[in-house]
Amino acid sequence: MKRTAAAIAALAAAATAAWAAEIPFEQRRPDSDFVSADSRAMQNDDIANPAMLAVLDGEALWNTKAGETNQSCADCHGDATKSMKGVATRYPAMVAEQDRPVDLEQRINMSRLADQKAAALPFESKDLLALTAYVARQSRGMPVAVKDDAQAKPFIAAGRALFAERQGQLNLSCAQCHDDNWGRTLAGNLIPQAMPTGYPIYRLEWQAVGSLQRRLRNCMSGMRAEPYALGAPELVDLEYYLMWRARGMAMEAPAVRP
Amino acid sequence: MARALIHVPPSAKRGDIVEIKTLISHVMETGYRIGVTGKPIPRDIIDDFVCTYNGEEVFRAKLYPAIAANPFISFFTVATESGTLAFSWTDQHGATQVQTATIKVE
Amino acid sequence: MAGSGVILRLAIRPAAATPETMREAVRSAIGEATVKKGRVKLDLPPIVENGNSVPCTVSVESPMTAADHVKAIHIFNEKNPQPNVISIKLNPRAGRAAFSTRIRLADSQTVTAIAEMSDGSCWSDDIDVIVTLAACLEESIR
């Protein structure tokens, strides 16, 4: 019995941790560990965090009737502080309607299209960011809990392949900075491990709130690689891998980042 | 109306020095950034911020383009009496937004 | 808006503040009063995380009474396109002569805070800060 259990454990470990040079589980730290004390303080003060302005906008949108059905999110989902608790911890996720995972922004748009019969909100639009920030805020402090069942595993693996792939004129992979050199300095900032527990974030560089997909595109520009388009399956796969990599860590959305 | 967040302690003892925090949504466009057309994006900033306490001015700030987007300003005031604090932000075009908060002083 | 980090620096090079324009701005604010170092504490991170938003606190030693208080606090810089950052007006109702805000710094430079007292005297503090570009930027403004 012991030998079988050990064999199964080894197989399971090999299947999920099949990738070399990953950050050891117990050495994982949130990205807020790598920002200045001022930014951490800003993030945790609801009056100082500019992303809270987006959260308030999101709350207003949540209660605004929309679409042909003339229904607000609240009409079906009620009080978001209750109904949306934990939701952001589970995205990206597989959905019944597709054979691919969707992220939180896409899931919100699915509801707008199907349930409100309203137009989808453009990626990075003020309204979509506000709604995403409002929903994500309801999961603050809760552990990331994206599913990694048989259906999801191929997409997580695809995300990992992208993370480990060298690309662009600088021929860099995400892993080289975020697995191998986290904690070191790059320009005026510390390289974080890239645990996306804080999205959507207020990025000081943007002076605005933005999504994880926007940030990933910035990384790719930084590597002098052609960024994938917003909404591209590659970005969702990367998001899924990154959130799975951060499983169990506490959600911080909406965070403040440089 | 730009979205604003204000923190005034709901109550205080007479004579206490209380901290007030304010945050307002505004791009604070400096006028120096070049847009996609190759021309500078016109300046658009909040340039005046005033706080009155039951009508009396207790804090005033003149803002320049060097103030970061989504201006955050925190300051102190003595809790003298119960009443209303009024915060007004005026932009360079003269448009003003006012928001109030009440304080109970015992 | 995107790209502000890179584009802002390229745009400001032709028209940056100089020590002379900063002196003029100071003169405009406080007249010909002599400025002494002291009583003012300017708080800025010595290495700035991002020049678009730098937390900044100024506090001035003062009893803030009718007889002895801080009337105004000004912050100046020497390398942004403009030398002024913010000017505060205070009276004894403040209780404490201190405020915080977030400022933009275009380049590594010295930032100066000057406080005007009710007796006409002026006091200052200054800090040297290092400002770098971020590593991962957007390609163009959206």
Side-chain angles (χ1 to χ4, degrees):
Chain A
M1 273 306 282
K2 259 198 202 149
R3 236 179 297 168
T4 323
I8 292 171
L11 262 174
T16 51
W19 304 303
E22 267 201 332
I23 299 172
F25 205 75
E26 57 301 331
Q27 279 182 38
R28 299 177 318 158
R29 286 158 58 191
D31 282 10
S32 50
D33 275 13
F34 301 93
V35 306
S36 68
D38 285 317
S39 289
R40 265 194 300 278
M42 202 192 305
Q43 176 177 307
N44 294 323
D45 181 348
D46 280 356
I47 305 296
N49 184 343
M52 286 307 295
L53 297 166
V55 169
L56 286 178
D57 283 343
E59 184 181 29
L61 282 166
W62 181 268
N63 293 300
T64 303
K65 296 194 187 293
E68 284 170 30
T69 61
N70 201 35
Q71 299 230 283
S72 66
C73 314
D75 285 332
C76 290
H77 293 288
D79 180 358
T81 62
K82 297 186 174 63
S83 62
M84 292 295 112
K85 240 177 130 52
V87 168
T89 68
R90 299 193 285 271
Y91 280 87
M94 303 299 300
V95 289
E97 293 83 343
Q98 296 182 196
D99 51 9
R100 275 203 47 81
V102 295
D103 63 16
L104 185 57
E105 285 85 348
Q106 290 169 322
R107 186 64 189 83
I108 289 171
N109 268 338
M110 281 173 66
S111 266
R112 278 187 62 91
L113 285 163
D115 304 316
Q116 289 176 302
K117 309 252 184 292
L121 295 167
F123 291 123
E124 297 319 298
S125 62
K126 187 166 182 274
D127 282 356
L128 184 56
L129 287 167
L131 272 172
T132 313
Y134 181 55
V135 170
R137 179 72 166 85
Q138 310 314 320
S139 291
R140 210 178 231 206
M142 299 178 69
V144 173
V146 294
K147 272 173 125 173
D148 62 351
D149 55 9
Q151 237 202 327
K153 277 198 167 45
F155 300 100
I156 297 177
R160 169 64 195 187
L162 287 164
F163 190 81
E165 181 192 339
R166 282 175 181 269
Q167 54 184 306
Q169 291 178 333
L170 299 181
N171 204 34
L172 282 174
S173 73
C174 316
Q176 284 177 282
C177 278
H178 296 294
D179 274 349
D180 302 340
N181 286 291
W182 59 268
R184 291 189 145 124
T185 322
L186 183 63
N189 301 133
L190 290 173
I191 300 173
Q193 294 182 352
M195 299 293 174
T197 52
Y199 281 85
I201 59 171
Y202 185 80
R203 191 179 183 207
L204 301 182
E205 183 57 36
W206 300 326
Q207 303 184 83
V209 174
S211 69
L212 176 55
Q213 290 206 6
R214 181 176 178 185
R215 188 61 187 84
L216 292 173
R217 280 164 50 85
N218 286 190
C219 292
M220 296 181 75
S221 300
M223 297 196 276
R224 299 282 172 272
E226 186 67 41
Y228 298 110
L230 288 167
E234 289 89 346
L235 287 178
V236 181
D237 290 347
L238 249 178
E239 285 183 273
Y240 207 155
Y241 167 66
L242 289 170
M243 284 296 271
W244 174 82
R245 186 165 163 270
R247 60 200 182 284
M249 295 176 76
M251 291 286 289
E252 307 176 62
V256 173
R257 300 281 181 259
Chain B
M1 272 268 283
R3 177 79 60 184
L5 278 166
I6 296 171
H7 171 75
V8 171
S11 67
K13 280 202 340 268
R14 197 175 303 269
D16 276 356
I17 299 173
V18 298
E19 186 178 20
I20 314 272
K21 295 194 238 185
T22 68
L23 176 69
I24 187 165
S25 172
H26 198 282
V27 65
M28 295 294 282
E29 191 61 64
T30 60
Y32 301 109
R33 294 201 307 163
I34 307 292
V36 287
T37 58
K39 295 197 175 67
I41 303 166
R43 176 170 302 176
D44 180 14
I45 66 166
I46 290 172
D47 60 4
D48 211 64
F49 171 73
V50 183
C51 174
T52 60
Y53 188 155
N54 284 343
E56 216 183 291
E57 182 176 308
V58 293
F59 184 88
R60 176 181 283 270
K62 180 155 168 52
L63 280 60
Y64 293 84
I67 294 299
N70 305 307
F72 171 81
I73 301 177
S74 71
F75 56 97
F76 295 87
T77 201
V78 180
T80 48
E81 63 205 355
S82 296
T84 303
L85 280 88
F87 303 85
S88 71
W89 294 264
T90 305
D91 70 15
Q92 65 192 60
H93 312 292
T96 298
Q97 178 170 320
V98 181
Q99 211 152 304
T100 59
T102 52
I103 188 169
K104 187 157 148 242
V105 178
E106 37 229 16
Chain C
M1 285 246 230
S4 60
V6 174
I7 307 296
L8 180 62
R9 282 162 191 85
L10 288 172
I12 64 157
R13 248 167 259 276
T18 59
E20 183 48 47
T21 57
M22 194 181 117
R23 271 196 293 276
E24 275 168 33
V26 173
R27 225 173 286 135
S28 227
I30 65 169
E32 295 303 324
T34 20
V35 181
K36 289 187 277 232
K37 285 229 169 129
R39 292 182 72 179
V40 178
K41 184 162 185 299
L42 171 60
D43 244 298
L44 279 169
I47 297 185
V48 154
E49 192 175 35
N50 188 290
N52 284 343
S53 178
V54 186
C56 176
T57 300
V58 183
S59 48
V60 186
E61 292 163 18
S62 168
M64 291 307 282
T65 60
D68 182 8
H69 58 270
V70 176
K71 286 190 310 190
I73 305 175
H74 311 279
I75 301 184
F76 302 97
N77 76 91
E78 48 171 28
K79 295 242 182 92
N80 287 2
Q82 261 208 319
N84 302 85
V85 178
I86 193 170
S87 282
I88 305 293
K89 273 213 175 86
L90 293 172
N91 59 52
R93 294 205 53 166
R96 191 175 306 165
F99 74 96
S100 291
T101 186
R102 300 195 280 247
I103 69 176
R104 290 171 167 144
L105 294 173
D107 203 346
S108 299
Q109 58 187 297
T110 305
V111 182
T112 305
I114 298 180
E116 287 182 81
M117 305 304 200
S118 48
D119 66 1
S121 64
C122 288
W123 300 82
S124 76
D125 187 19
D126 54 72
I127 293 196
D128 296 333
V129 296
I130 296 175
V131 179
T132 57
L133 280 177
C136 295
L137 303 172
E138 270 158 350
E139 287 186 70
S140 57
I141 293 185
R142 286 201 279 120

